[in-house]
């Protein structure tokens, strides 16, 4: 950190960087106490069955075992979920996927806990498992939730734009393709875990790794039948989340355990294998695209059909579908068409929030469709994109008028003049022996925030401490992305205080104020806006106080300077510490509220789609370029270079910006080439990191991130969301590069060496 | 597991083995500890061999290169003898696992694990490595291909350990080639691998060749008929086509989450094409 005031737009080292490198940062996994209890979960182990009996008679007898808990021990609704509460905390009578939690074992040691879990016997009556989302829609499919209104459909909807399908006949060229994207695991370093204790007043304190402390509190209280006021959630440093901790993981199970541990603290920490089976994944999707244009390349018509496999529970599946539908037309003006989507229940692993959140899937669809169309029309793919790129004032595909900064044209123009693009023919010709090269691009739009109905708000709180320093109460979790660093920068720069005099209080439902989830590319936008207001109020209050003290009429004559307040005309100073000591503790605290503006456009009459977020108001943009080399012997794909030009508003911290772009791009590279979370008939076959392959540092290309730096007038210091957009670019850019090299558009991801080899051998036959 | 024993001298080792006949031997643990974690083996006692300094290091002895079985992969990579005289083994080890695995894992461990995907095995087969097996009372020496019996199966009897690997450099090769096809560039289990030792005449005919494949059968596979077919052939696509087909017909791969059997079969043969890059361009 720095002993001088931070500047907006220059790199400030993360305050947590050194702590984490030295191992001093405390995560929820680091909580231990002599005599604490271990709590572990018995998982269902089968995809679909009637649960007839849980026999734990042997387990309870094992030495060290304190209790075995089942649904009978749950006092509240026993249901959790964000929009639709359809997931039991502990299964009552119906098992809906292998990872369902059936019972909890409380034990003195981890080993006896594990032994007891193995000793629990489940008596079940197997049911046919629904594991193919297409078959899940058939009339004869088994029902995952018997009482669901629309058989196996969690959420479905359609939007017709302009003339709808009638415009198809007006197109000169039409392409059609069906793409399939796979299930992806978040693979954060820190698996789901927490630490909980029930005190003698009946208050539950839970320390856990989550993106959503305030929402967790409500969910726990409701599911277990507790008073909200008696539940406290504390979130220390989080070791990665990417959407996988956007909602309940261990929290309710842990709370229930603490209620049966006689006041002893309880620890629950899922193993990697358990995390794989029980946690949510990116939705697998089937995307049918029909894209039509006029002869000159003007897009005229799009027909998209989206099917997403949400597994047995909503989690955030409906919201993911709605965002996918909204972004299905990419960053282009497409005046006519239809988008039809559905998110279906299956007995597969649960799908839910994952960085990119449905946009990743449809971006890979529209962007591959664009390259197919470019070839069909005989137009340069970048030129085709530029010709149709959205501008402020245009309507996007679902009919939302763009009223905020819209920089996709600048992003595409940046790529158009980039050496990797202008010199691509030369580079491709220089492929080595038995190698082939291709260059591909993708253009991405990504909305941020919650949509028109669910309020996207934050409450910032700053306290002047007795020592004259500032304490910032962060209501939004920093799961590693660095938003708390941006908070330091904002307060430090507005108040002109040394960055290392700004103390952060990490989310705690009793100390920090409700500020929504750490998700939806919203953290710095929403919380940052609230924090700017709070810092300005604090500055004004301190200057006023100083004016009173020095008997000056105009607080404008004062400014905060490092550790003091200075009277500018005379240069005399009062230390902040002195001012602090003259203020009552309530005066030393400032709070401010911000609620993000929302779209006023009525793009659909379907309230349910609007509730699930359709449409958004603020969008980030990016254009990406991938240079790939293919090996003709093995089909191996090497991404040699990757560049991205992005419009995510004004950059607050260039280093954090670059880290977000690079991290997102590598996660997207994983989706494109490596990661595939496989479930066969509902049973996970990629049980750990030996078969679930994420890219390593040896697989990551050089990634150039160019910021357009366009100022967004509604953003904090002109910034927009950057958390997710980079994840969406690699799959379509790499697929398009392979298309460029081979003439074959690969429609299924991950793109395996096997599928590339097939494409390569087909060219040699042609 | 209740306890682990860490002998530093061979006499200590023999005594521990005698006292704990059911114990499992650990030589780096990069495979064994994974199995213990997943409970696919549940030993009560481990005897860890890593501190037996007598069984470490690389040396010349009577015209042979002798590698102690407990030499780690990292030590192999940094060893001047391995770098100079066993470059094919060095290139296999370079791609093995990741730095932490190379720091822990040992050559002897890789052999005794006897995975068809063991990265060092294909080079050792064509280097005609002989393995020295010792027990308290006796010592014997076996060629690696008769020691490895199948996936995870080796000819090691109760009380015996693999102590040394001996390589006799009867002939020298100008081409020392190893290629591992994995699903990523590090921490990848091989999908197919091929090791080749080759001499080429001035006119680009193959004068001598030894080949071995990994991950396409229950153990490392060598095909004498393929080698005989190639010797005397031109190092061109035409010259090796029928050898490629023969390899594809001879391997017996399985399918798993990493690749299909067809892909492994196809690529096993195609990997011969990489040898074309060694042809001199006149």
């Amino acid at each position: 950190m720095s002993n001088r005031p931070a500047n907006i737009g220059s790199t400030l080292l993360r305050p947590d960087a050194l702590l984490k490198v030295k191992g001093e940062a405390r995560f929820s996994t680091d909580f231990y106490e002599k005599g604490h209890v271990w709590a572990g979960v018995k998982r269902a182990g089968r995809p679909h069955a009637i649960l007839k009996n849980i026999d734990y008679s042997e387990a309870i007898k094992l030495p060290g075992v304190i209790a075995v808990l089942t649904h009978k021990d749950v006092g509240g609704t026993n249901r959790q979920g964000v929009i639709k509460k359809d997931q039991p905390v502990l299964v009552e009578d119906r098992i809906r996927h292998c990872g369902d939690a059936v019972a909890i074992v409380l034990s003195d040691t981890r080993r006896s806990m594990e032994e007891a879990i193995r000793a629990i016997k489940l008596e079940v009556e197997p049911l046919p498992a629904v594991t193919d989302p297409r078959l899940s829609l058939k009339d004869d499919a088994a029902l995952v939730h018997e009482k669901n209104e629309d058989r196996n459909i969690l959420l479905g909807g359609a939007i017709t734009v302009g003339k709808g399908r009638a415009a198809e006949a007006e197109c000169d060229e039409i392409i059609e393709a069906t793409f399939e994207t796979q299930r992806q695991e978040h693979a954060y370093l820190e698996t789901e875990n927490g630490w909980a204790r029930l005190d003698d007043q009946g208050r539950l304190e839970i320390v856990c790794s989550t993106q959503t402390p305030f929402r967790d509190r409500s969910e726990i209280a409701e599911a277990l039948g507790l008073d909200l006021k008696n539940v406290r959630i504390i979130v220390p440093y989080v070791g990665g989340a990417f959407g996988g901790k956007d909602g309940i993981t261990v929290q309710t199970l842990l709370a229930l355990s603490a209620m049966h541990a006689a006041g002893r603290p309880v620890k629950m920490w899922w193993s990697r294998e358990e995390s794989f089976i029980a946690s949510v994944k990116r939705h697998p999707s089937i995307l049918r695209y029909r894209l039509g244009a006029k002869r000159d390349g003007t897009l005229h018509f799009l027909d998209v059909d989206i099917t997403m496999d949400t597994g047995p529970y909503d989690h955030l599946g409906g919201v993911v579908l709605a965002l996918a539908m909204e972004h299905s037309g990419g960053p282009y003006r497409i005046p006519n068409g239809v988008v039809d989507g559905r998110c279906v229940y299956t007995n597969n692993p649960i799908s839910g929030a994952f960085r990119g959140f449905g946009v990743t899937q449809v971006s890979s669809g529209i962007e591959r469709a664009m390259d197919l169309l470019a070839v069909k029309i005989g137009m340069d793919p970048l030129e085709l994109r530029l010709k149709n790129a959205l501008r402020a004032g245009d309507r996007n595909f679902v009919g939302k008028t763009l009223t905020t900064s819209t920089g996709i044209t600048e992003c595409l123009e940046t790529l158009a003049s980039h050496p990797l693009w202008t010199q691509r023919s030369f580079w491709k010709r220089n492929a080595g022996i038995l190698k082939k090269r291709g260059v591909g691009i993708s253009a991405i739009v990504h909305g941020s925030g919650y949509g028109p109905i669910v309020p996207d708000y934050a409450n910032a709180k700053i306290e002047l401490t007795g020592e004259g320093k500032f304490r910032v109460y962060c209501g939004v979790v920093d799961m590693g992305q660095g938003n708390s660093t941006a908070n330091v920068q904002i307060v430090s720069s507005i108040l002109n205080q040394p960055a290392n005099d700004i103390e952060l209080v990490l989310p705690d439902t009793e100390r920090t104020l409700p500020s929504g989830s750490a998700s939806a590319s919203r953290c710095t936008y929403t919380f940052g806006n609230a924090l700017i207001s709070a810092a300005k109020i604090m500055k004004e209050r301190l200057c006023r106080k100083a004016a009173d003290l020095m008997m000056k009429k105009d607080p404008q004559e004062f400014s905060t300077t490092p550790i003091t307040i200075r009277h500018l005309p005379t240069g005399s100073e009062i230390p902040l510490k002195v001012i602090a000591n003259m203020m009552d503790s309530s005066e030393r605290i400032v709070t401010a509220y911000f609620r993000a503006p929302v779209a006023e456009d009525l793009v659909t009459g379907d309230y349910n789609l609007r509730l699930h977020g359709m449409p958004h108001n603020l969008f980030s943009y990016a254009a990406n370029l991938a240079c790939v080399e293919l090996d003709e012997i093995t089909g191996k794909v090497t991404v040699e270079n990757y560049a991205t030009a992005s419009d995510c508003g004004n950059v607050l911290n260039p280093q954090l910006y670059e880290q977000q772009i690079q991290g997102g791009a590598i996660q997207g590279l994983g989706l494109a080439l490596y990661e595939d979370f496989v479930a066969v008939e509902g049973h996970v076959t990629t049980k750990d990191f030996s078969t679930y392959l994420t890219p390593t540092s040896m697989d990551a290309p050089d990634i150039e991130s160019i910021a357009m730096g366009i100022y967004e007038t509604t953003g904090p210091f002109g910034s927009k969301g950057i958390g997710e957009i980079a994840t969406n670019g690699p799959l379509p850019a790499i697929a398009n590069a392979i298309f460029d090299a081979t003439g074959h558009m690969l429609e299924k991801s991950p793109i395996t060496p096997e599928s590339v080899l097939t494409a390569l051998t087909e060219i040699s036959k042609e | 597991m209740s306890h682990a024993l860490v002998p530093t001298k061979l006499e200590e080792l023999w005594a521990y083995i005698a006292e704990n006949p059911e114990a499992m031997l650990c030589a780096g643990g990069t495979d064994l500890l994974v199995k213990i974690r997943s409970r696919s083996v549940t030993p009560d006692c481990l005897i860890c061999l890593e501190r037996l300094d007598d069984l470490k290091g690389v040396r010349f002895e009577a015209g042979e290169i002798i590698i102690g079985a407990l030499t780690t992969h990292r030590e192999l990579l940094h060893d001047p003898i391995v770098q100079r005289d066993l470059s094919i083994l060095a290139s296999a080890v370079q791609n093995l696992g990741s730095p932490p695995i190379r720091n822990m894992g040992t050559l002897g461990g890789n052999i005794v694990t006897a995975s068809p995907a063991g990265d060092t095995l294909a080079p050792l087969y064509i280097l005609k490595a002989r393995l020295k097996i010792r027990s308290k009372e006796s010592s014997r020496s076996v060629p690696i291909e008769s020691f490895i019996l199948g996936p995870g199966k080796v000819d090691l009897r109760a009380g015996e350990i693999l102590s040394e690997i001996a390589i006799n450099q009867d002939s020298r090769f100008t081409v020392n080639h190893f290629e591992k096809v994995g699903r990523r560039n590090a921490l990848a289990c091989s999908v197919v691998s091929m090791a080749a030792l080759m001499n080429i005449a001035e006119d680009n005919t193959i004068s001598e060749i030894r080949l071995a494949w990994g991950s396409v059968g229950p153990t490392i596979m060598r095909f004498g008929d393929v080698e005989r077919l190639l010797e005397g052939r031109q190092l061109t696509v035409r010259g090796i086509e029928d050898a490629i087909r023969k390899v594809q017909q001879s391997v017996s791969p399985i399918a798993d989450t990493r690749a299909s059997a067809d892909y492994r079969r196809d690529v096993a043969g195609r990997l011969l094409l990489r040898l074309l890059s060694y042809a001199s361009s006149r």
Side-chain angles (χ1 to χ4, degrees):
Chain A
M1 279 271 275
S2 165
N3 60 2
R4 58 184 171 84
N7 289 313
I8 296 295
S10 82
T11 289
L12 173 73
L13 188 68
R14 296 161 179 258
D16 48 326
L18 195 59
L19 294 178
K20 285 178 179 170
V21 170
K22 287 160 73 181
E24 287 172 3
R26 210 165 180 222
F27 295 80
S28 48
T29 50
D30 294 322
F31 284 71
Y32 285 94
E33 214 170 88
K34 207 170 158 49
H36 78 79
V37 174
W38 279 97
V41 184
K42 173 73 181 178
R43 303 278 165 193
R46 55 273 283 166
H48 202 188
I50 305 284
L51 178 61
K52 305 185 91 167
N53 186 38
I54 305 166
D55 175 7
Y56 55 85
S57 53
E58 292 303 314
I60 195 79
K61 282 187 230 154
L62 291 169
V65 173
I66 299 162
V68 177
L69 308 175
T70 68
H71 64 93
K72 290 179 185 149
D73 299 293
V74 178
T77 61
N78 193 29
R79 284 293 174 281
Q80 51 199 18
V82 181
I83 305 268
K84 189 166 184 174
K85 297 192 187 298
D86 56 5
Q87 180 175 10
V89 179
L90 290 171
V91 170
E92 291 130 4
D93 52 4
R94 186 81 171 258
I95 289 165
R96 294 189 174 89
H97 82 124
C98 289
D100 263 337
V102 177
I104 304 175
V105 171
L106 303 189
S107 191
D108 288 334
T109 68
R110 194 170 196 171
R111 188 182 292 189
S112 58
M113 173 196 87
E114 285 166 357
E115 207 179 325
I117 290 171
R118 283 192 294 275
I120 297 174
K121 301 280 172 277
L122 305 182
E123 197 186 310
V124 301
E125 186 186 311
L127 294 170
V130 187
T131 56
D132 181 334
R134 281 169 272 221
L135 300 182
S136 158
L137 292 164
K138 303 257 187 221
D139 290 341
D140 58 351
L143 296 179
V144 179
H145 293 272
E146 283 180 309
K147 288 179 186 151
N148 187 51
E149 279 169 26
D150 200 358
R151 297 186 59 81
N152 281 331
I153 296 181
L154 161 66
L155 178 72
I159 290 182
T160 300
V161 189
K163 300 178 200 163
R165 288 203 176 87
E168 182 171 349
E170 299 165 4
C171 297
D172 296 319
E173 297 289 355
I174 299 255
I175 62 96
E176 175 166 344
T178 300
F179 305 103
E180 283 183 43
T181 67
Q182 77 277 31
R183 185 178 291 113
Q184 188 181 20
E185 155 66 28
H186 305 79
Y188 20 75
L189 212 51
E190 180 200 29
T191 56
E192 298 78 356
N193 74 91
W195 172 259
R197 188 198 311 254
L198 183 72
D199 73 11
D200 48 16
Q201 315 284 308
R203 287 178 307 207
L204 259 175
E205 187 179 297
I206 302 169
V207 181
C208 61
S209 184
T210 177
Q211 293 171 245
T212 49
F214 289 92
R215 205 173 70 207
D216 293 353
R217 184 174 60 160
S218 318
E219 280 196 61
I220 294 166
E222 192 179 331
L224 302 183
L226 304 172
D227 185 345
L228 191 72
K229 290 204 169 51
N230 282 335
V231 183
R232 176 181 186 181
I233 309 279
I234 299 167
V235 191
Y237 289 114
V238 173
F242 312 113
K245 296 171 185 170
D246 186 347
I248 294 289
T249 58
V250 298
Q251 295 88 321
T252 323
L253 300 163
L254 195 55
L256 184 63
S257 304
M259 291 163 67
H260 292 84
R264 289 165 70 186
V266 182
K267 188 174 187 72
M268 179 180 284
W269 189 357
W270 295 355
S271 67
R272 180 63 62 183
E273 292 85 346
E274 184 174 16
S275 168
F276 268 27
I277 287 170
S279 73
V280 302
K281 309 286 177 275
R282 186 187 300 288
H283 283 76
S285 71
I286 303 161
L287 312 158
R288 190 182 51 74
Y289 268 81
R290 287 173 65 74
L291 179 63
K294 298 288 189 185
R295 195 155 291 116
D296 70 352
T298 306
L299 297 179
H300 189 66
F301 164 75
L302 173 63
D303 177 355
V304 191
D305 187 272
I306 304 168
T307 302
M308 292 185 142
D309 173 357
T310 208
Y313 304 117
D314 180 0
H315 191 259
L316 283 157
V319 189
V320 170
L321 174 75
L323 201 70
M325 290 173 66
E326 184 182 349
H327 290 72
S328 59
Y332 309 113
R333 275 182 310 280
I334 310 174
N336 309 294
V338 184
V339 50
D340 200 339
R342 64 211 65 79
C343 203
V344 304
Y345 283 127
T346 64
N347 299 112
N348 284 325
I350 313 170
S351 303
F354 194 139
R355 188 184 205 178
F357 210 87
V359 183
T360 309
Q361 289 90 326
V362 293
S363 299
S364 81
I366 182 69
E367 286 306 287
R368 281 181 280 188
M370 286 295 278
D371 270 34
L372 289 169
L373 185 68
V375 165
K376 190 141 191 203
I377 294 180
M379 201 167 167
D380 175 275
L382 206 155
E383 203 181 307
L384 176 68
R385 286 173 171 83
L386 266 173
K387 187 178 181 75
N388 294 285
L390 287 169
R391 297 168 296 214
D394 285 341
R395 287 187 187 85
N396 71 8
F397 180 51
V398 294
K400 153 84 183 122
T401 296
L402 300 175
T403 56
T404 51
S405 55
T406 307
I408 185 62
T409 300
E410 287 86 338
C411 296
L412 286 165
E413 282 170 347
T414 302
L415 282 193
S417 59
H418 194 284
L420 290 176
W421 182 251
T422 55
Q423 292 165 28
R424 65 191 186 284
S425 306
F426 176 77
W427 183 77
K428 287 193 282 185
R429 274 199 306 278
N430 279 282
I433 179 169
L434 294 165
K435 305 278 182 187
K436 267 209 151 51
R437 286 174 168 180
V439 176
I441 57 168
S442 64
I444 309 292
V445 53
H446 198 114
S448 59
Y450 295 159
I453 293 177
V454 177
D456 182 351
Y457 65 83
N459 290 284
K461 174 169 147 187
I462 306 175
E463 180 184 7
L464 173 66
T465 69
E467 291 74 48
K469 296 181 178 182
F470 294 91
R471 193 171 282 148
V472 178
Y473 292 80
C474 304
V476 181
V477 170
D478 182 345
M479 59 259 199
Q481 77 275 48
N483 50 324
S484 59
T485 310
N487 295 344
V488 171
Q489 278 181 282
I490 289 170
V491 174
S492 169
S493 71
I494 293 176
L495 292 172
N496 290 322
Q497 296 305 306
N500 51 14
D501 279 359
I502 311 292
E503 181 196 324
L504 294 172
V505 176
L506 298 180
D508 175 339
T509 55
E510 277 190 12
R511 298 182 71 197
T512 63
L513 300 175
S515 298
S517 56
S519 66
S521 302
R522 67 176 287 277
C523 302
T524 300
Y525 181 81
T526 307
F527 191 78
N529 268 323
L531 193 58
I532 287 174
S533 301
K536 286 180 174 166
I537 297 168
M538 175 63 87
K539 186 172 185 173
E540 194 193 323
R541 184 177 294 175
L542 294 174
C543 291
R544 202 170 283 283
K545 203 83 192 171
D548 292 351
L549 268 172
M550 291 175 97
M551 294 188 287
K552 303 288 180 196
K553 209 159 68 188
D554 190 0
Q556 298 284 347
E557 291 172 14
F558 290 82
S559 181
T560 47
T561 46
I563 71 167
T564 64
I565 294 187
R566 186 178 296 165
H567 182 241
L568 299 170
T570 61
S572 56
E573 293 184 352
I574 310 176
L576 279 169
K577 194 175 171 177
V578 172
I579 300 253
N581 282 324
M582 301 177 94
M583 291 167 80
D584 178 73
S585 60
S586 62
E587 276 183 295
R588 287 195 264 114
I589 290 177
V590 165
T591 66
Y593 168 86
F594 175 78
R595 181 166 168 179
V598 296
E600 301 297 337
D601 320 58
L602 289 170
V603 300
T604 169
D606 184 341
Y607 177 80
N608 217 8
L609 279 182
R610 295 174 62 223
L611 175 67
H612 284 81
M614 177 88 81
H616 286 69
N617 190 55
L618 180 67
F619 301 90
S620 296
Y621 297 89
N624 314 282
L625 180 151
C627 302
V628 306
E629 184 167 271
L630 312 177
D631 184 78
E632 294 185 281
I633 294 178
T634 62
K636 181 184 177 182
V637 180
T638 304
V639 181
E640 297 281 348
N641 271 300
Y642 191 84
T644 163
S646 41
D647 161 32
C648 299
N650 189 38
V651 177
L652 303 187
N653 183 322
Q655 188 178 66
L656 291 179
Y657 185 95
E658 187 173 51
Q659 289 170 349
Q660 281 287 0
I661 296 284
Q662 294 189 341
I666 291 168
Q667 209 154 26
L669 177 74
L671 183 77
L673 298 178
Y674 305 102
E675 301 182 36
D676 193 5
F677 194 88
V678 181
V680 177
E681 292 301 306
H683 293 271
V684 173
T685 58
T686 45
K687 293 175 194 295
D688 57 37
F689 283 131
S690 69
T691 45
Y692 186 77
L693 304 181
T694 56
T696 68
S697 59
M698 302 293 285
D699 304 294
D702 280 345
I703 298 167
E704 187 183 355
S705 59
I706 308 163
M708 295 298 100
I710 296 166
Y711 197 92
E712 163 52 39
T713 52
T714 68
F717 296 107
S719 72
K720 294 196 280 195
I722 195 194
E724 299 173 271
I725 189 160
T727 317
N728 307 328
L731 170 55
I734 291 168
N736 287 340
I738 295 170
F739 180 49
D740 181 45
T742 66
H744 287 264
M745 183 60 86
L746 300 178
E747 295 173 341
K748 250 183 123 165
S749 53
I751 296 166
T752 59
E754 204 158 343
S755 61
V756 173
L757 192 58
T758 307
L760 285 165
T761 26
E762 275 170 27
I763 337 178
S764 57
K765 281 183 205 150
E766 278 158 12
Chain B
M1 198 180 69
S2 70
H3 60 306
L5 300 165
V6 190
T8 55
K9 300 230 157 22
L10 280 172
E11 306 87 81
E12 247 182 302
L13 168 70
W14 307 132
Y16 286 153
I17 292 179
E19 287 158 21
N20 303 278
E22 300 299 311
M24 287 190 85
L25 302 183
C26 179
T30 56
D31 289 307
L32 184 58
L33 294 180
V34 175
K35 289 182 190 151
I36 292 175
R37 177 181 154 86
S38 68
R39 303 178 56 82
S40 66
V41 294
T42 49
D44 190 44
C45 171
L46 274 192
I47 300 178
C48 301
L49 309 178
E50 295 84 354
R51 293 191 196 167
L52 292 167
D53 288 344
D54 292 348
L55 303 185
K56 283 185 181 185
V58 185
R59 64 180 194 276
F60 277 111
E61 198 177 285
E64 286 190 322
I65 300 171
I66 308 291
I67 305 174
L70 275 301
T71 311
T72 66
H73 302 304
R74 184 190 144 88
E75 286 160 352
L76 285 176
L77 267 181
H78 289 268
D79 187 89
I81 298 174
V82 173
Q83 284 170 359
R84 194 187 60 217
D85 295 325
L86 299 174
S87 66
I88 189 165
L89 183 61
S91 39
V93 171
Q94 201 152 21
N95 287 304
L96 189 154
S98 63
I101 287 176
R102 293 196 289 270
N103 287 342
M104 294 281 289
T106 62
L107 186 60
N110 203 235
I111 295 169
V112 176
T113 296
S115 159
D119 286 330
T120 63
L121 303 183
L124 290 174
Y125 270 61
I126 54 175
L127 287 166
K128 299 188 176 172
R130 292 186 67 84
L131 309 181
K132 190 170 173 193
I133 313 296
R134 287 177 68 171
S135 67
K136 190 182 179 192
E137 294 83 16
S138 63
S139 155
R140 61 192 173 101
S141 165
V142 287
I144 187 167
E145 65 270 23
S146 11
F147 178 74
I148 295 180
L149 305 172
K153 282 200 194 110
V154 291
D155 172 23
L156 203 58
R157 299 160 208 159
E160 283 187 334
I161 63 158
L162 163 61
S163 63
E164 282 166 351
I165 296 95
I167 295 163
N168 189 334
Q169 293 207 293
D170 51 347
S171 35
R172 297 272 168 173
F173 294 90
T174 50
V175 172
N176 285 253
H177 174 86
F178 177 80
E179 180 168 358
K180 164 170 158 179
V181 180
R183 287 296 311 275
R184 60 183 173 192
N185 291 332
L187 278 168
C189 180
S190 102
V191 165
V192 196
S193 66
M194 186 188 81
L197 293 171
M198 178 170 71
N199 284 319
I200 320 165
E202 266 180 32
D203 63 350
N204 271 339
T205 55
I206 300 168
S207 54
E208 192 179 2
I209 191 163
R210 291 184 197 165
L211 296 162
W213 281 265
S215 301
V216 284
T219 60
I220 297 300
M221 304 201 84
R222 291 195 64 187
F223 307 111
D225 51 349
V226 172
E227 292 174 11
R228 283 190 298 276
L229 183 71
L230 284 169
E231 281 169 356
R233 286 291 183 84
Q234 283 281 320
L235 196 51
T236 59
V237 176
R238 246 225 180 115
I240 67 171
E241 295 180 312
D242 47 353
I244 293 175
R245 267 195 304 280
K246 210 170 192 66
V247 171
Q248 290 166 338
Q249 287 157 7
S250 310
V251 294
S252 48
I254 56 155
D256 61 18
T257 57
R258 295 178 188 95
S260 70
D262 284 343
Y263 176 78
R264 287 188 158 99
R265 179 185 304 283
D266 188 16
V267 172
R270 295 171 70 87
L271 283 178
L272 284 172
L273 289 167
R274 201 77 77 199
L275 298 178
L276 300 180
S277 63
Y278 297 99
S280 61
S281 48
R282 283 158 303 166

